[in-house]
Amino acid sequence: LKYPFNIIFARTKAVAYAKYIGVRIAGKVTIYGSSYEMFGSEPYLVSIDDNAFISVGVKFVTHDGSVLPFRASFPDLDLAAPIHIGANTFIGMHAVILKGVKIGENCVVGACSVVTKSVPAGSIVVGNPARVLTTTAEFLEKAKANSLKIGNLPEMEKHAAYKKHFKIEA
């Protein structure tokens, strides 16, 4: 009975479920989609600061299972480290954040990126392995120049504005 309850809880209240399993969340955090499989087996090693946005399918991997084949010879061999996500950060869908990574504040992690090392504050990182593409300041200037200026509209009005802008028949 606990298993289906947790799945429903994680899907309907993603942030509350993350806190319930031990993720340390400071301030207002938004998690899109379910957080059920997002935080792995050591969720208490993940901390997320205020105004962070975590997209669908992101994975936080706080341990390194690659040592498992060597445990027969070295039974106590284990690699794990905390992950920290700074304030005002966006992590794109299906990104993977590996053990020991600290993402600074005001960062963007591109979709499907694999973050293997820490990210300096004010950086945009993309790729596998993720590398700094530009600064957040440069990204923001381009985003403002290319904005459709509808980000503040309610969902239905935004859909109508997209259809109008892209000339899609209703």
Side-chain angles (χ1 to χ4, degrees):
L1 193 59
K2 187 177 179 181
Y3 175 74
F5 171 78
N6 284 345
I7 290 175
I8 293 167
F9 184 18
R11 188 174 296 149
T12 58
K13 302 282 187 187
V15 173
Y17 179 76
K19 288 179 180 179
Y20 170 74
I21 61 173
V23 177
R24 291 170 288 138
I25 295 178
K28 185 178 185 318
V29 169
T30 302
I31 297 174
Y32 297 99
S34 174
S35 59
Y36 185 72
E37 294 180 344
M38 189 171 277
F39 297 101
S41 56
E42 300 88 19
Y44 48 85
L45 291 178
V46 178
S47 61
I48 306 173
D49 289 347
D50 188 42
N51 202 41
F53 297 84
I54 314 297
S55 296
V56 174
V58 170
K59 301 282 187 187
F60 295 89
V61 183
T62 56
H63 63 276
D64 189 340
S66 65
V67 298
L68 292 173
F70 309 105
R71 285 239 181 107
S73 300
F74 306 95
D76 64 348
L77 190 59
D78 190 46
L79 299 175
I83 294 171
H84 179 83
I85 308 302
N88 302 315
T89 294
F90 173 83
I91 301 179
M93 57 191 276
H94 300 292
V96 177
I97 314 301
L98 296 181
K99 69 175 179 59
V101 166
K102 293 178 184 175
I103 297 177
E105 62 184 34
N106 299 314
C107 288
V108 174
V109 175
C112 299
S113 295
V114 178
V115 185
T116 61
K117 45 186 152 176
S118 293
V119 176
S123 299
I124 310 294
V125 297
V126 298
N128 180 5
R131 301 199 190 288
V132 175
L133 177 68
T134 188
T135 67
T136 305
E138 291 169 345
F139 167 78
L140 185 55
E141 287 307 309
K142 288 180 185 176
K144 288 192 301 189
N146 294 317
S147 175
L148 299 176
K149 297 182 178 31
I150 61 173
N152 61 329
L153 294 179
E155 183 179 5
M156 296 309 292
E157 289 179 44
K158 187 182 281 191
H159 289 304
Y162 281 143
K163 288 177 182 178
K164 182 179 178 182
H165 180 80
F166 293 110
K167 298 175 177 56
I168 295 172
E169 303 281 330

